[in-house]
Amino acid sequence: MKDKIYKTNSIVEAGILCVFMLICMLLNSYVPFFGFVGLILLPIIIAILYVRHDLKVTIVALAASFLLIMFSTGVVTAISFILLYTLSGIILGYCIKKRVAGSISLFFVAIAFSIGVISFFFLVSKFIYKEGIYDLINQIITIYKNQTEEMIMHYKQMGINTQNINQLKSMVESLNVNLVLSVLPGYVINCCVIFTFLIYKLAVNIFGKLRMNINNIKPFKEWHIDDRLTGIIIGITCIGIILNAKNVIIGQYIINSSIIVGSFIFSIVGISAIIFLFRGKYKVSKIAIGLMIVLVIMLGMIRIFPMIGIIDSIINFRRFSLNKKV
């Protein structure tokens, strides 16, 4: 009798969440702003389904949602739903259900989200834009250059400094498809990490209101990575350098992506170390620290942040134990 009640509850909850996912996808399609909200909210809905029930119920619900979305908005929207939200939602639900540490959960969900976004880009370039991703990016660059040319002409009419205009013009002219493609994976991964953080923070609030346990992420001033991750990033960069020296095209992609991702990670850790030092040791106010960080950025000394992050990851001058990594 209890099993029948449990199965009935599972079917009802799965049905409600299926309808909710359909509504979110419809809003994604017709309300531009909601695309951002849906990108954060949908993986959490899938995670709730996984935590409250199991993988089998989740897959059945996702299959039903796929069919509903396909008949409502089209095949492409349904496939994008599967690619963008399914894997990250299931991984998030698994990490929550298995009580995985917040930082590790963030890492795996970010990887799943990156895979989904890259797969989505591939789908768009392959089936929607028949010319392929190369021609798609080339069209975007051409539009951007034309808009920049119009802006430069407008600046000249306003009498803005010619030297600044020439610098902007040279930067725009240096843009090409190969350059964009070589840096695109790194920026995609960084954006996915930011979105994953937002997803996880919102998940903490939602799961808390549902009285479901979830491991929170440590305070920002305690964010730290050890020398093993530093070694992995350096190792990947070295592999890219070796491949690039052998004229393997993917080598430059690996170099640029690892530098972009590494700079982002170590900058965050560097800022965390600065806040920890000034707040913990010197009791400086948050406003003063914020103004100092903004001043460093405005003075063009932003490279100091990843340098501090690398030093902290190797030396561990905050004396965090290994189980306190982020």
Side-chain angles (χ1 to χ4, degrees):
M1 185 67 181
K2 289 183 178 180
D3 291 339
K4 289 182 179 180
I5 295 172
Y6 175 76
K7 288 179 180 179
T8 303
N9 290 338
S10 297
I11 294 170
V12 171
E13 287 187 13
I16 293 171
L17 291 175
C18 281
V19 173
F20 195 69
M21 284 188 278
L22 173 62
I23 293 170
C24 286
M25 287 305 296
L26 289 171
L27 288 172
N28 277 357
S29 300
Y30 299 109
V31 183
F33 169 75
F34 198 84
F36 173 80
V37 179
L39 198 62
I40 298 174
L41 194 59
L42 280 165
I44 298 175
I45 298 172
I46 297 170
I48 291 172
L49 194 59
Y50 186 98
V51 173
R52 290 183 66 87
H53 303 287
D54 53 32
L55 182 60
K56 183 179 178 180
V57 173
T58 305
I59 291 174
V60 172
L62 289 172
S65 300
F66 174 81
L67 293 174
L68 288 171
I69 294 166
M70 184 178 67
F71 289 126
S72 301
T73 59
V75 178
V76 175
T77 306
I79 294 174
S80 66
F81 162 74
I82 294 296
L83 293 177
L84 287 173
Y85 311 114
T86 301
L87 184 59
S88 57
I90 291 174
I91 296 296
L92 176 61
Y94 176 85
C95 291
I96 294 171
K97 196 167 188 175
K98 297 298 182 181
R99 304 287 296 162
V100 179
S103 56
I104 299 174
S105 300
L106 197 66
F107 175 76
F108 284 114
V109 175
I111 292 175
F113 197 45
S114 300
I115 292 171
V117 171
I118 292 170
S119 302
F120 174 74
F121 276 126
F122 177 79
L123 171 71
V124 169
S125 64
K126 193 73 175 177
F127 298 103
I128 298 178
Y129 297 94
K130 300 295 183 181
E131 299 86 357
I133 192 168
Y134 192 93
D135 289 333
L136 173 62
I137 293 175
N138 192 34
Q139 291 175 20
I140 295 171
I141 291 174
T142 302
I143 294 170
Y144 177 73
K145 285 184 176 180
N146 291 337
Q147 291 178 344
T148 307
E149 284 293 333
E150 293 177 2
M151 186 174 63
I152 288 173
M153 292 294 295
H154 183 66
Y155 283 166
K156 285 182 178 180
Q157 293 174 359
M158 293 174 61
I160 294 177
N161 190 349
T162 308
Q163 184 179 356
N164 294 334
I165 294 174
N166 291 334
Q167 287 178 354
L168 176 62
K169 192 173 182 178
S170 62
M171 287 174 60
V172 172
E173 289 175 350
S174 66
L175 275 177
N176 57 68
V177 179
N178 291 327
L179 176 62
V180 173
L181 283 174
S182 66
V183 300
L184 185 61
Y187 284 113
V188 167
I189 293 171
N190 285 351
C191 289
C192 288
V193 170
I194 294 170
F195 268 102
T196 302
F197 176 76
L198 296 175
I199 289 169
Y200 200 88
K201 292 299 288 184
L202 182 60
V204 170
N205 293 329
I206 292 175
F207 275 75
K209 291 180 179 179
L210 294 173
R211 296 181 180 179
M212 300 166 68
N213 293 325
I214 177 172
N215 290 325
N216 206 341
I217 302 171
K218 294 184 182 299
F220 181 70
K221 66 179 182 178
E222 295 182 17
W223 287 20
H224 171 74
I225 57 174
D226 62 28
D227 52 0
R228 289 173 292 184
L229 181 56
T230 305
I232 291 172
I233 295 173
I234 294 173
I236 292 173
T237 307
C238 291
I239 291 171
I241 293 171
I242 293 169
L243 292 174
N244 189 52
K246 295 181 179 292
N247 296 320
V248 179
I249 297 176
I250 198 174
Q252 191 62 50
Y253 288 68
I254 294 173
I255 293 172
N256 290 344
S257 296
S258 58
I259 290 174
I260 291 167
V261 175
S263 298
F264 176 73
I265 291 173
F266 290 122
S267 294
I268 296 298
V269 174
I271 294 172
S272 170
I274 290 171
I275 293 173
F276 180 89
L277 179 65
F278 282 93
R279 286 287 294 167
K281 189 172 183 179
Y282 299 109
K283 308 299 180 184
V284 180
S285 68
K286 293 180 180 179
I287 296 175
I289 296 173
L291 290 173
M292 182 184 67
I293 292 172
V294 171
L295 181 63
V296 170
I297 295 172
M298 291 177 63
L299 292 174
M301 300 170 61
I302 194 169
R303 292 182 180 179
I304 195 172
F305 297 138
M307 291 174 61
I308 294 173
I310 292 172
I311 294 170
D312 178 59
S313 67
I314 295 173
I315 299 176
N316 189 17
F317 57 76
R318 286 182 283 176
R319 297 293 182 266
F320 287 143
S321 60
L322 292 179
N323 61 356
K324 294 187 73 175
K325 300 185 298 296
V326 167

